[in-house]
Structure formats: structure tokens, C-alpha cells
Amino acid sequence: MIGLMVAACAGERGERETLRRAEALLDGSPDEALAVLDRAADSTAAYSRADRMRYLLLRTQALYQESKPLDTITYMDDVLAYYRHHGNRKDRTQALYMMASIYRDRHNSPMALQYFREAVAEADTTRADCDFLLVSRLYGQMADLFHSQQYPQQEIAMTLQAVHFAQLAKDTMEMLHHSFRIAAAYFLLNREDSVAQITQLAYETYRALGRRDLAVGKLPFVIHYHLLHHRYTAAKALLDEYRVHSGFFDAHGEIAPGKEQYYNQLGYYYQGVSRLDSALWCYHKLLTYTTNMVALENGYRGLMLTYRQLHQPDSVAKYAILYTNLNDSAVMHNAMRELSRTQALYDYSENQRIAEEKTRESRRLWTALYWGAAVMVLLVALSYRYMARQRAKTMEQARTMNKKYLDTLLRCERASRELAVAKRDIRRYKDEKEQEVNRLQQQLHEEFVHVEQWDMEQALLRHDIVQQLHRHANRAAMPADSEWEDLDGLVQRVFPHFYETLRQPDLQLTEKEIRLCILTRLNFIPTEVATLLGLTKQRVSNMRSQINDRLFHERGARNLDQHLRRL
């Protein structure tokens, strides 16, 4: 017995030592920390719950610092639930930070922002021992999310908070990083003079600090400003410095992926100084990046303008057509991205509203519980004997009253439903709905941008075949084969990519599964889908889960509607 206790204590000390070693390596050598944790993975089943949660949190932090994607991690719900009731503020802040990072990698900006805000709230910034550097990075992460959503006003607000807390942390480089990154927000606001001033200051500051690598990273903004104002000599000097000191060019002179914009700026320079052969070389170089829409667009446009300077109309026409076609594709892509951004911002606002409502509800509940408890204590102290004698009588009266209330409530609800049906005026109902639609559409045009996709969606939902299927569902009737064919033809015309994706042979979707996806995409509710396909509601729910797993590798059916609308 004593031997077993000694062995258990030794095992626990070994677990704690592994976790302490990994935590010590986390900031300086996250790769080594991850290796330590991976070697201990097989033994975690014997860990206590506290050590297992610590292990999972440290592993997630190590993956994060190694820039590994976190979108497939599924255990953080358990980790966060544990630290919400155990551990200290630092543990909860780190758990919330990792949960936010997971949702960020899943491209769920509203949920990521919610957890980032919770993490900031958990870090007590009124205390001198607060980890201000961590808070600064949390605000920086929120600024990144707002930048990806093209919401520069909020990006600026978050960045200023990041600068403030970096100052409190006395971390000069972190403060400079956030101060200079605000130029990206000004770029979205088309404030080019501000962008140029900030990036020029950043370039000079980093060079003065001996960080030429960081300084060179700011050059593309400054080069763009000089080219825009035809300062070709200054632009060429910075282009040469970028090529020599950026570290983005290999031994063969090829630039690193993602930095192709250099060739566009170099071509613009050569075009400006009338070295048109060199400009043509740069723009043709951009055309080699066949998967980069921005590089192709800049290449076609540059070639069109350069051949116009060379007075070669055939080449001008050729690249004008290619540029126009690609530009049309880019406009459609940007419109879809703008719609997604608008939806994400709406989702974020809605989540904020729900969170605030739940907070108020919780406060009201605690207040009611407090006063209720006080009253109960007082009543028990003063009326114990009386309550004992009256309890049986009161309970019987309560049962009778509850039964009577329930019966009355049901009859009232049934009578109200029948009255509503009897009084329904189809014309008045139609007029009210038309007014409501007009009001909501007006609100969309006033509060949002790029609603062309919304108009197209609404026109589709009003299509004759879609309306006919709604009527079939309302009458509990199944559509004819010809009606299914009409619906297939409509979806194939309006959503060709969506339709072709569902019809891919390797997905092995049955006809009913494909029809379920189409009906879901057209906003039919599950009960309508079950009626139109002749299935039970439970069968429809199971099929939705299977489709979500097969198409999007996500368990359950909760996000299937959103995934299908993104196809």
C-alpha cells in the first residue's frame, strides 16, 4: 500500500515537472515546448483533471506561438469551462485568448471578438501586476479582425487601445508596432497622405533602432505614394533598397509568394520614365502568378497602358478585353466579400445585443434571488408554526389553481387562434407585409452597402416554382417530377457553382440529399423540407448532420445553412 502511494506521488511529481518545463519553454522556444508536450501525450490519461486541463491549455498556446492553425481543436470548450470555475485570472484570460484564436482560425469573427473581449475583461487592468503586454496583444488581435472585415473605424479604436497598454507594459517595440500599423486602417479610408506620413516615420524610426528588416517592410506604402505623385527618382531608390534588404528574393532573383506587388510598382516606375520594354517585362512577370487575381489584374492593366504608349492597338485591345473580364470577376468577388463582411458585422452586433441582454437578465435574477431569500428568511422566522399548519391546505389550493389556470390558458390560446383565423383579412395582411418589405429594404439601403446580392436572393425566393413548392408544403403535398426539374434548372442558372458542387460524383450525394441542400439554400424550413421530400422531421435532421459532415467536415447540423449559402 505504501509502495503504491509512493509511486502515485512520484508520478504526480513527474507530470507537474513536465508541465513546468513546457511552460518555461513556451515564450522563448515554443517548438521545444510542443515537443515536450507531445512526448507526454500518451500518459495524459493518467493525469488529474487539473493537470490534464493545464496540459491542453499549454499545448494550444504552443501551437498558437508556432503559428499552427487552431481551427480543428475541439477540446477548448472543456478547458474554458474548467478555468471559469478554477484557477486564477491569468488562467482564465489565457483560456479565453485561445478560444478566441480558435474561432478566428475558423473565420467566425463575431465569436472570436466576443471571446477576445471576455479575455480583456478578465484581465484586471486596474491592478499594477496586470499583464499589460497580453492586453495590448488582445486589442491587436481585435484590430486585425476588424481590418479583415474592412471596418477601419473600429480597427483604429482597437489599435489605439493596443498602443496604450503597450505603453503601460513599457514595451517600446510593441508600442511602435501598433502605432505604425494604424496606417493600414487609414489606407482603407483612402487617407493616402496619412498613410505616407506614418509609414515614412515608421521606416525612419526602425532604421534608427537598427531594425532594417522592419523598416524595409514599410517601403511598399512609401513607394506607392511616391509613384502616385510621379516622384520617380525617390521611388526607384526605395525599390532598389527593398530588393537588396527585404530578404524576399532568393538566389535566382525570384520574389517570395505574396510579395508580387513589387513587380507592379517596378513596372509603374519604368512606365513613368518611358523605359517601356522594362515595364512590359514586369507586367508579363505578373501574369505568371495565375492564381493571384490582383497580380493578373495589375498585369493586364499595365500591359494595356504600356502598349497604348507604344501605339500598338491590337495589343491594347487584347489586354483591355482580358483586363475587363478579370475586372468583372473581381467586382463580383468583392461584392460577395462585402456581403459576407456585412453579414459578419450584423452577426457581431446581434451577438453583442444578446450578450448584453443576458447580462441584464442575470443581474435581475440575482437581485430577485437576493430579496427573495431575505423575505423568505424573515417569513420563516416569524411564521414557522403558522406555515406548518397551513402548508397542506396551501399546496392543495395551489394544485387546484394550477390545474384551473392551465385549463383556462389552453382554452384561451385555442380560442385566440381560432379568432385570429376567423378575422384574417388577406388584403390587409398583404398590404402590411408589402409595407414591411419596403421599410426593411429601405433600411438596408440606408444602413448597409452593396445589397445587389440581397435583391437577387429576394427575386429568386419570389420565383414561381419556389412559391409553388411553398404552397405544396402548406398543403402537405409532394411536388411532381416536372416541378423538381424546374427547380433544378432554376438553381443551375442562378447558382451554377453551388449546383455543380452538389453534383460532384466524389461527394456521392443522393438525389434526396441534393434536393435537401437546394431547399435549405432557398430558405425552406425543416418541416417544409420533410413534407416536400416525404420524410420524417427526424430523418431530415439526420440527413442534415450527414451532409454537414460530408461536405464541410463539421459534426452536427447547426451551421449547415450558413455553409451552403457560402458555396
XYZ file of all heavy atoms in Angstrom, residues 29-66:
301
model
N 11.011 29.240 -26.679
C 11.179 28.122 -27.611
C 9.887 27.314 -27.686
O 9.802 26.199 -27.173
C 12.342 27.226 -27.165
O 13.534 27.956 -27.026
N 8.870 27.853 -28.346
C 7.590 27.131 -28.386
C 7.684 25.781 -29.083
O 6.925 24.871 -28.773
C 6.667 28.097 -29.151
C 7.579 29.013 -29.897
C 8.813 29.132 -29.057
N 8.626 25.642 -30.055
C 8.783 24.359 -30.728
C 9.257 23.279 -29.768
O 8.786 22.134 -29.791
C 9.743 24.486 -31.904
C 11.099 25.052 -31.484
O 11.158 25.748 -30.445
O 12.090 24.815 -32.199
N 10.198 23.653 -28.849
C 10.669 22.694 -27.850
C 9.568 22.389 -26.837
O 9.419 21.239 -26.398
C 11.906 23.237 -27.137
C 13.122 23.398 -28.048
C 14.345 23.889 -27.284
O 14.432 23.587 -26.071
O 15.185 24.566 -27.888
N 8.786 23.412 -26.459
C 7.676 23.191 -25.527
C 6.676 22.208 -26.122
O 6.178 21.293 -25.443
C 6.990 24.511 -25.198
N 6.383 22.372 -27.429
C 5.448 21.468 -28.093
C 6.010 20.055 -28.147
O 5.263 19.072 -27.967
C 5.161 21.985 -29.512
C 4.058 21.276 -30.292
C 2.733 21.355 -29.536
C 3.907 21.897 -31.677
N 7.311 19.923 -28.366
C 7.929 18.594 -28.391
C 7.820 17.918 -27.029
O 7.540 16.717 -26.934
C 9.388 18.715 -28.819
N 8.050 18.673 -25.943
C 7.934 18.129 -24.585
C 6.515 17.631 -24.333
O 6.297 16.532 -23.801
C 8.339 19.197 -23.541
C 7.971 18.739 -22.128
C 9.825 19.485 -23.629
N 5.537 18.419 -24.724
C 4.135 18.049 -24.509
C 3.734 16.851 -25.371
O 2.990 15.968 -24.913
C 3.236 19.245 -24.820
C 3.386 20.439 -23.872
C 2.650 21.658 -24.415
C 2.865 20.099 -22.477
N 4.203 16.808 -26.605
C 3.870 15.673 -27.473
C 4.441 14.364 -26.942
O 3.815 13.304 -27.065
C 4.377 15.932 -28.896
C 3.523 16.959 -29.631
O 2.385 17.208 -29.172
O 3.988 17.505 -30.649
N 5.640 14.427 -26.364
C 6.236 13.211 -25.800
C 5.429 12.692 -24.614
O 5.436 11.490 -24.326
C 7.681 13.473 -25.381
C 8.655 13.559 -26.551
C 10.092 13.441 -26.070
N 10.494 14.569 -25.256
C 11.039 15.684 -25.731
N 11.244 15.830 -27.047
N 11.376 16.673 -24.938
N 4.734 13.589 -23.919
C 3.944 13.178 -22.752
C 2.499 12.870 -23.097
O 1.702 12.560 -22.206
C 3.991 14.281 -21.692
N 2.139 12.924 -24.392
C 0.738 12.790 -24.787
C 0.131 11.457 -24.369
O -1.026 11.386 -23.930
C 0.609 12.975 -26.311
N 0.899 10.378 -24.485
C 0.351 9.049 -24.194
C 0.028 8.845 -22.722
O -0.782 7.984 -22.373
C 1.332 7.964 -24.656
C 1.469 7.930 -26.174
O 0.534 8.411 -26.853
O 2.504 7.450 -26.669
N 0.654 9.624 -21.856
C 0.458 9.431 -20.415
C -0.576 10.371 -19.815
O -0.843 10.309 -18.614
C 1.798 9.621 -19.680
O 2.308 10.918 -19.913
N -1.184 11.239 -20.626
C -2.114 12.229 -20.061
C -3.400 11.595 -19.544
O -4.104 12.219 -18.745
C -2.476 13.284 -21.123
O -2.996 12.619 -22.288
C -1.263 14.105 -21.506
N -3.721 10.382 -19.987
C -4.936 9.723 -19.499
C -4.873 9.494 -17.995
O -5.911 9.428 -17.319
C -5.138 8.391 -20.226
N -3.649 9.383 -17.444
C -3.484 9.154 -16.007
C -3.374 10.460 -15.227
O -3.291 10.435 -13.998
C -2.235 8.291 -15.765
N -3.362 11.598 -15.899
C -3.252 12.890 -15.219
C -4.519 13.175 -14.413
O -5.614 12.716 -14.748
C -3.067 14.023 -16.232
C -1.679 14.167 -16.799
C -0.740 13.147 -16.696
C -1.294 15.337 -17.454
C 0.531 13.287 -17.238
C -0.032 15.485 -18.002
C 0.881 14.450 -17.888
O 2.126 14.601 -18.421
N -4.359 13.975 -13.379
C -5.534 14.510 -12.691
C -6.232 15.489 -13.631
O -5.656 15.938 -14.633
C -5.111 15.235 -11.413
O -4.330 16.383 -11.732
N -7.472 15.841 -13.297
C -8.207 16.753 -14.180
C -7.506 18.098 -14.296
O -7.402 18.668 -15.388
C -9.630 16.951 -13.660
C -10.497 17.760 -14.634
C -11.848 18.082 -14.062
N -12.634 18.863 -14.999
C -13.671 19.632 -14.668
N -14.061 19.689 -13.402
N -14.333 20.309 -15.589
N -6.994 18.610 -13.172
C -6.314 19.909 -13.192
C -5.089 19.858 -14.098
O -4.856 20.767 -14.913
C -5.914 20.316 -11.778
N -4.270 18.779 -13.983
C -3.070 18.668 -14.812
C -3.427 18.448 -16.282
O -2.738 18.945 -17.183
C -2.186 17.525 -14.312
C -1.510 17.869 -12.989
O -1.456 19.064 -12.653
O -1.055 16.946 -12.296
N -4.505 17.703 -16.540
C -4.896 17.470 -17.926
C -5.361 18.772 -18.582
O -5.042 19.060 -19.747
C -6.007 16.422 -17.990
C -6.322 15.968 -19.417
C -7.154 14.699 -19.435
N -8.454 14.854 -18.800
C -8.769 14.399 -17.581
N -7.878 13.715 -16.880
N -9.973 14.600 -17.060
N -6.114 19.580 -17.842
C -6.544 20.867 -18.385
C -5.351 21.790 -18.618
O -5.280 22.501 -19.629
C -7.545 21.549 -17.442
C -8.870 20.816 -17.286
S -9.814 20.664 -18.840
C -9.566 18.913 -19.189
N -4.382 21.778 -17.685
C -3.173 22.579 -17.856
C -2.396 22.123 -19.093
O -1.891 22.927 -19.861
C -2.299 22.469 -16.603
C -0.922 23.115 -16.717
C -0.984 24.605 -16.919
N -1.643 25.252 -15.805
C -1.937 26.544 -15.765
N -1.650 27.301 -16.797
N -2.540 27.068 -14.733
N -2.312 20.801 -19.278
C -1.615 20.243 -20.438
C -2.270 20.715 -21.738
O -1.591 21.166 -22.667
C -1.631 18.714 -20.366
C -1.125 18.030 -21.613
C 0.219 17.745 -21.769
C -1.999 17.687 -22.652
C 0.698 17.131 -22.921
C -1.539 17.087 -23.811
C -0.189 16.805 -23.938
O 0.269 16.212 -25.080
N -3.588 20.642 -21.827
C -4.293 21.027 -23.051
C -4.151 22.522 -23.329
O -3.990 22.939 -24.482
C -5.773 20.638 -22.950
C -6.066 19.138 -22.911
C -7.545 18.885 -22.659
C -5.627 18.464 -24.213
N -4.202 23.349 -22.267
C -4.042 24.789 -22.461
C -2.635 25.115 -22.952
O -2.453 25.903 -23.885
C -4.341 25.531 -21.159
C -4.190 27.060 -21.200
C -5.105 27.662 -22.267
C -4.490 27.675 -19.838
N -1.618 24.495 -22.324
C -0.237 24.747 -22.750
C -0.005 24.279 -24.191
O 0.692 24.940 -24.963
C 0.734 24.036 -21.806
C 0.854 24.619 -20.395
C 1.725 23.728 -19.520
C 1.447 26.029 -20.449
N -0.584 23.144 -24.538
C -0.408 22.640 -25.905
C -1.021 23.602 -26.922
O -0.444 23.868 -27.985
C -1.032 21.251 -26.051
C -0.772 20.610 -27.398
C -1.303 19.171 -27.462
N -0.918 18.547 -28.722
C -1.566 18.717 -29.862
N -2.657 19.485 -29.886
N -1.147 18.140 -30.972
N -2.197 24.134 -26.603
C -2.834 25.089 -27.516
C -1.997 26.359 -27.639
O -1.831 26.901 -28.740
C -4.243 25.448 -27.012
O -4.979 24.240 -26.767
C -4.994 26.284 -28.025
N -1.436 26.824 -26.524
C -0.583 28.012 -26.574
C 0.663 27.763 -27.419
O 1.101 28.638 -28.169
C -0.190 28.431 -25.156
C -1.355 28.998 -24.334
C -0.924 29.332 -22.921
O -0.908 28.485 -22.033
N -0.550 30.571 -22.712
N 1.247 26.575 -27.288
C 2.439 26.247 -28.074
C 2.113 26.202 -29.566
O 2.872 26.712 -30.398
C 3.019 24.911 -27.611
N 0.983 25.595 -29.918
C 0.560 25.564 -31.326
C 0.333 26.982 -31.850
O 0.697 27.313 -32.984
C -0.728 24.744 -31.466
C -0.602 23.232 -31.266
C -1.987 22.595 -31.191
C 0.196 22.599 -32.410
N -0.269 27.827 -31.014
C -0.533 29.210 -31.406
C 0.775 29.960 -31.670
O 0.919 30.653 -32.684
C -1.331 29.913 -30.310
C -1.489 31.393 -30.515
C -2.444 31.899 -31.388
C -0.676 32.299 -29.833
C -2.588 33.257 -31.590
C -0.809 33.659 -30.032
C -1.761 34.136 -30.903
O -1.888 35.489 -31.100
N 1.746 29.812 -30.762
C 3.007 30.527 -30.926
C 3.837 29.969 -32.075
O 4.716 30.660 -32.599
C 3.807 30.491 -29.619
C 3.116 31.245 -28.497
C 4.067 31.679 -27.411
O 5.219 31.975 -27.648
N 3.577 31.703 -26.178
N 3.562 28.740 -32.466
C 4.214 28.158 -33.633
C 3.464 28.482 -34.927
O 3.812 27.982 -35.994
C 4.301 26.641 -33.471
C 5.461 26.157 -32.626
C 6.792 26.313 -33.352
O 7.131 25.463 -34.189
O 7.475 27.319 -33.091
